[in-house]
Amino acid sequence: MIDRRILLASAAGLFGFTALRWFQGAPAHAAEKFEIEKTDAEWRAQLTPQQYEILREQGTEPPWSSALLKEHRKGIFACAGCDLSLFSSDTKFESGTGWPSFYQPLPNAVGTTKDRTFGMVRTEVHCRRCGGHLGHVFDDGPKPTGLRYCMDGLALVFHPGPTSSASG
Ligand SMILES: [Zn+2]
C-alpha cells in the first residue's frame, strides 16, 4: 500500500521543480499568444541558424554585419519569420550603431516587453504576429518620435517598392 503522504510530497516536489524551470527558462513574452505559432522544429526548418538564434532565442547579430545597413531604396522591411510589414524605409535613419535603425514602426506591427538580461532594463521589440525577436527600442532617437528602434538585420527582409503597407 502506498503512503499517501509520500505521494503528495513527491507531487508537490515535482510541481515546484516544474514551476521553477518554467520561470527560469521562459523568455519574457513566452506566455503571450501570437497569431502565428510554430514548433521549434518548424522554425528551425524555415530559418537559417543565425535567424533562428535572433528571432527565436533573442540573439543579437554582430554590429556592422547587416547588408540592410546600406539599403537606401524605398520599400518595406518585413519580419523574417512571418513576412509581416514592420518598418517603412521612410523612418530608417543612420544611427551609427552598426544595426539598422528606425524611428517608428508601422501601425500594429510590433510588440514590446521589458528585458532585464545583462543587468540592464531594456525594451525588447518583437513581431506582433509571430513573436519573433527583432531587437530593442531606446529613447535616444531622432525627431519626430525620439525613439531608436535598433533592429537585427537578420530578423528583417527588405521588399523594395511603395512605402505604404497596403497589403499588410
Ligand atoms: Zn513575424
Side-chain angles (χ1 to χ4, degrees), residues 50-131:
Q50 291 87 350
Q51 284 177 322
Y52 181 88
E53 194 191 326
I54 292 164
L55 287 162
R56 310 312 310 175
E57 298 187 314
Q58 312 216 3
T60 304
E61 71 192 13
W64 307 108
S65 63
S66 176
L68 295 182
L69 288 169
K70 297 191 200 99
E71 182 55 75
H72 297 301
R73 288 175 290 172
K74 289 242 177 245
I76 294 292
F77 295 84
C79 173
C82 73
D83 209 31
L84 178 68
S85 298
L86 300 176
F87 296 94
S88 160
S89 59
D90 294 342
T91 62
K92 191 172 188 283
F93 70 99
E94 299 305 320
S95 64
T97 59
W99 288 280
S101 302
F102 305 84
Y103 63 74
Q104 188 173 45
L106 290 167
N108 196 24
V110 304
T112 58
T113 57
K114 286 280 175 247
D115 176 354
R116 295 174 194 280
T117 55
F118 302 110
M120 297 178 275
V121 181
R122 296 178 298 169
T123 304
E124 184 270 350
V125 178
H126 57 268
C127 170
R128 69 107 180 129
R129 188 159 69 176
C130 74

